[in-house]
């Protein structure tokens, strides 16, 4: 059964009365958002192999880079407005507007008559995707209960590979068409995910943290109960979660915290949280995966696999492999921890890149005499690399930043992380085909060196956030918890107890409103 739930915004909501169906809807919302980005990367991988696309636009190395990288121009422009809009309009309305802009970009890209129109469409598409890419993770991290947050938010980027797999299959199928629809059809299908997201939004509630911050206490308490205890307002777990949120946001306001972007650098603690929280964006971008994410054809060329059909088939297999790895990585992040998973991944990435560079060098020195074992050994390590990347960076890119940053800087902090990610991606996606054409195997060695540096930074600076609510993570940075209730998992497991009636009275007295 669906229950009309106040949202504090212009967007109404009819939410399932029980927690599990609601969690499933939140998961679906997460899945369809991330699929757009994965679809885009895999689609361009396919298009950059298709003669019908290359010949239509008369592409060279520079214009190929421009067509591919232009989505990141919008990706650079979108995040900062997204952070501000998420705080002012609400999380759900911001996701709605971002999805709508994405659909407009897809339509222009599909109808492109020349490079300029294609680039404009991709800029608009990137702008809309960047907005949902900020509002979505913030919304899901604030709405999912802590016990499911790693999976709920991790899936947000894990389904990048579902979108990528769909795009790989579509481009493989349309690649034989003898018309411009060989590339227009895959482009048009990209809008389906944003449309599905818009359809789902009326059936999920607004973020309880946003509602509390706006003063909608009754509405927030209803959402906490819906997401934690099948709508039972006085359930001890739901009441503990709600009390943590109210106390922590009250503390932030009492300390003079504002929603201004300048809040990210106002205090030493804020700067520390901001720098650690935004680091997954740049770290994931310079890890080395951009080569295979957007220029798999060029990468396979350096390894000796030059047949177009073989490259398209490799694109499909690669995305299946990466989907499996990122789901395994999400499990590791949930059970083993965020920091440990990141360290494991970075170590394996550096090893793989050094091996790929060495094998590519051997092939480049004697392409005609290269053995099949050298060629396929290199391809195998390339696949391993993408899998190891997916283990950590695919889920952690959106799990970790919202956890580390407190409410006052969460949306703007994630926006800056996304800005840095897209800014670096814009540069790297543009220069990668040029770099591969000019220095070949040395590009892998450069990326491997970066991964060694990233490993050291993670080991020294990152903190572990596994198993804690967003408010309990504050205690890691502020050295004390801002609420007097036990930790939620202790209450859930029966190791901690709360006096429900006393909390009811305390909340009613502090807010001056009925919470029943």
């Amino acid at each position: 059964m669906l229950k009309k739930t106040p949202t504090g915004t212009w967007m109404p909501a009819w939410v399932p009365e029980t927690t599990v169906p609601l969690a499933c809807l939140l998961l679906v919302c997460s899945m369809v958002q991330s699929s757009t980005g994965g679809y885009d990367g895999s689609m361009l991988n396919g298009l950059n192999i298709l003669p019908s696309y290359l010949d239509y636009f008369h592409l060279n190395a520079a214009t190929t880079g421009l067509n591919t990288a232009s989505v990141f121009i919008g990706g650079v422009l979108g995040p900062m407005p997204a952070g501000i809009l998420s705080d002012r309009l609400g999380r759900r309305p911001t996701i709605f507007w971002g999805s709508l802009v994405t659909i407009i970009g897809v339509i222009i890209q599909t109808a492109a008559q020349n490079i300029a129109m294609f680039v404009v469409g991709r800029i608009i598409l990137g702008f809309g995707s960047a907005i949902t890419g900020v509002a979505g993770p913030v919304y899901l991290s604030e709405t999912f209960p802590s016990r499911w947050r790693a999976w709920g938010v991790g899936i947000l980027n894990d389904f990048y590979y579902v979108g990528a797999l769909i795009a790989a299959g579509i481009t493989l199928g349309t690649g034989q068409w003898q018309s411009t629809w060989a590339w227009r059809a895959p482009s048009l299908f990209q809008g389906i995910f944003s449309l599905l997201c818009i359809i789902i939004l009326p059936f999920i509630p607004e973020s309880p943290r946003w509602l509390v911050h706006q003063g909608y206490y009754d509405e927030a308490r209803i959402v906490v109960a819906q997401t934690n205890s099948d709508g039972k307002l006085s359930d001890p777990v739901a009441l503990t979660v709600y009390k943590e949120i109210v106390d922590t946001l009250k503390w932030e306001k009492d300390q003079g915290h504002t929603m201004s972007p300048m809040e990210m650098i106002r205090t030493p603690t804020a700067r520390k949280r901001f720098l650690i929280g935004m680091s997954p964006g740049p770290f994931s971008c310079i890890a080395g995966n951009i080569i295979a994410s957007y220029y798999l054809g060029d990468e396979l060329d350096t390894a000796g696999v030059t047949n177009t059909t073989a490259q398209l088939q490799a694109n499909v297999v690669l995305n299946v492999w990466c989907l499996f790895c990122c789901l395994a990585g999400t499990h590791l992040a949930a059970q083993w921890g965020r920091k440990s998973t990141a360290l494991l991944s970075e170590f394996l990435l550096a090893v793989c890149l050094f091996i790929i560079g060495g094998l590519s060098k051997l092939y480049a020195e004697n392409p005609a005499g290269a053995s099949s074992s050298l060629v396929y050994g290199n391809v195998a390590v390339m696949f391993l690399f993408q899998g190891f990347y997916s283990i950590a960076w695919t889920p952690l890119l959106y799990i970790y930043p919202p956890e580390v940053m407190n409410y006052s800087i969460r949306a703007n902090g994630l926006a800056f992380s996304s800005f840095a990610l897209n800014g670096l991606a814009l540069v790297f996606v543009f220069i990668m085909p040029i770099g591969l054409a000019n220095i070949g195997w040395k590009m892998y060695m450069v990326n491997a060196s970066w991964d060694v540096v990233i490993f050291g930074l993670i080991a020294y600076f990152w903190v572990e956030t596994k198993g804690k609510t967003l408010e309990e993570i504050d205690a890691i940075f502020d050295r004390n918890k801002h609420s007097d209730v036990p930790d939620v998992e202790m209450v859930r497991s029966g190791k901690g107890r709360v006096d429900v009636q006393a909390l009811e009275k305390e909340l009613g007295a502090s807010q001056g409103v009925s919470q029943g």
Side-chain angles (χ1 to χ4, degrees):
M1 294 293 292
L2 300 176
K3 178 180 180 181
K4 185 173 175 59
T5 302
T7 64
T9 70
W10 62 269
M11 286 187 70
W14 293 268
V15 180
E17 292 188 88
T18 52
T19 296
V20 173
L22 174 55
C24 292
L25 282 177
L26 289 170
L27 276 175
V28 173
C29 177
S30 179
M31 293 170 186
V32 296
Q33 286 186 74
S34 61
S35 297
T36 300
Y39 188 100
D40 186 75
S42 184
M43 180 188 74
L44 263 294
N45 245 339
L47 297 192
N48 285 328
I49 297 171
L50 291 180
S52 60
Y53 167 78
L54 300 172
D55 294 343
Y56 183 84
F57 290 110
H58 306 291
L59 297 176
N60 55 37
T63 51
T64 297
L66 176 62
N67 269 17
T68 306
S70 54
V71 71
F72 294 107
I73 299 175
V76 169
L77 298 174
M80 299 314 293
I84 296 171
L85 291 173
S86 295
D87 287 336
R88 294 185 179 178
L89 302 182
R91 309 323 194 193
R92 290 165 67 251
T94 305
I95 294 173
F96 170 83
W97 292 116
S99 299
L100 189 61
V101 171
T102 300
I103 291 173
I104 294 171
V106 166
I107 293 172
I108 296 173
Q109 174 184 267
T110 302
Q113 302 299 305
N114 49 51
I115 289 176
M117 188 173 178
F118 191 84
V119 168
V120 168
R122 287 184 59 72
I123 291 173
I124 295 173
L125 189 162
F127 184 84
S129 296
I131 291 175
T132 58
V134 171
V138 170
Y139 168 71
L140 292 164
S141 66
E142 292 180 348
T143 307
F144 263 108
S146 57
R147 56 180 168 156
W148 296 334
R149 191 176 63 242
W151 275 104
V153 186
I155 285 290
L156 175 63
N157 214 31
D158 288 353
F159 264 62
Y160 176 99
Y161 291 111
V162 173
L165 182 59
I166 293 171
I170 290 174
T171 52
L172 179 60
T174 64
Q176 309 303 318
W177 297 0
Q178 301 302 312
S179 72
T180 60
W181 281 104
W183 62 267
R184 293 189 195 276
S187 177
L188 183 62
F189 279 115
Q190 190 172 2
I192 291 176
F193 305 109
S194 296
L195 180 62
L196 288 173
C197 186
I198 290 174
I199 292 172
I200 292 166
L201 284 175
F203 304 103
I204 53 179
E206 184 53 78
S207 158
R209 272 89 177 174
W210 185 85
L211 289 169
V212 168
H213 193 269
Q214 299 297 317
Y216 298 112
Y217 293 105
D218 287 328
E219 292 86 345
R221 184 169 174 185
I222 290 171
V223 174
V224 170
Q226 289 172 328
T227 54
N228 284 274
S229 59
D230 295 327
K232 300 172 185 176
L233 294 178
S234 294
D235 178 86
V237 171
L239 198 57
T240 302
V241 173
Y242 177 66
K243 183 68 161 51
E244 279 190 348
I245 296 172
V246 171
D247 289 348
T248 302
L249 292 184
K250 181 179 182 299
W251 179 87
E252 288 193 23
K253 288 184 177 181
D254 291 344
Q255 293 296 309
H257 293 189
T258 69
M259 305 306 293
S260 167
M262 296 303 296
E263 187 66 32
M264 295 183 293
I265 58 174
R266 189 173 69 88
T267 66
T269 300
R271 291 192 290 271
K272 181 178 180 180
R273 298 183 77 149
F274 166 65
L275 289 172
I276 296 175
M278 62 81 64
S279 65
F283 285 178
S284 66
C285 183
I286 64 178
N289 76 305
I290 280 180
I291 300 175
S293 293
Y294 284 90
Y295 299 110
L296 179 63
D298 292 334
E299 185 177 31
L300 291 174
D301 284 341
T302 68
V305 179
T306 57
N307 179 269
T308 298
T309 301
Q311 290 184 351
L312 289 170
Q313 291 171 340
N315 193 24
V316 174
V317 174
L318 176 63
N319 285 295
V320 173
W321 162 241
C322 289
L323 176 61
F324 171 80
C325 288
C326 69
L327 292 173
T330 303
H331 177 74
L332 279 178
Q335 300 297 320
W336 193 28
R338 285 47 156 169
K339 182 175 179 178
S340 301
T341 302
L343 288 172
L344 173 65
S345 177
E346 277 303 302
F347 173 77
L348 295 173
L349 290 180
V351 171
C352 283
L353 282 174
F354 281 125
I355 294 174
I356 292 170
L359 294 177
S360 297
K361 179 178 183 293
L362 292 176
Y363 175 81
E365 290 174 346
N366 185 20
S371 66
S372 58
S373 59
L374 174 63
V375 171
Y376 290 109
N378 201 359
V379 172
V381 182
M382 289 177 179
F383 273 54
L384 286 175
F385 172 86
Q386 284 298 106
F388 295 151
Y389 175 91
S390 303
I391 285 175
W393 292 120
T394 301
L396 291 183
L397 185 60
Y398 289 123
I399 292 176
Y400 197 65
E403 291 181 334
V404 172
M405 293 183 275
N406 59 310
Y407 184 85
S408 297
I409 68 172
R410 185 169 295 129
N412 287 317
L414 184 58
F416 193 89
S417 178
S418 180
F419 171 82
L421 167 63
N422 283 283
L424 288 169
L426 173 62
V427 175
F428 290 152
V429 171
F430 182 76
I431 68 172
M432 201 59 70
I434 301 171
L436 286 171
N438 286 281
I439 64 174
W441 61 271
K442 295 178 183 177
M443 288 294 292
Y444 303 111
M445 298 302 189
V446 172
N447 272 278
S449 302
W450 289 339
D451 285 337
V452 173
V453 174
I454 291 171
F455 180 93
L457 293 174
I458 292 172
Y460 187 78
F461 289 107
W462 274 32
V463 301
E464 187 53 68
T465 57
K466 178 179 75 75
K468 299 179 181 293
T469 66
L470 299 180
E471 289 69 34
E472 290 161 6
I473 294 169
D474 288 349
I476 299 174
F477 294 93
D478 298 331
R479 299 184 180 180
N480 63 286
K481 186 177 175 180
H482 306 308
S483 179
D484 57 3
V485 293
D487 287 354
V488 171
E489 289 306 314
M490 292 183 64
V491 176
R492 194 188 306 279
S493 64
K495 297 178 181 178
R497 296 185 178 276
V498 295
D499 187 329
V500 172
Q501 292 184 340
L503 285 183
E504 294 273 14
K505 291 179 181 179
E506 185 179 343
L507 287 166
S510 64
Q511 296 163 16
V513 294
S514 171
Q515 298 297 318

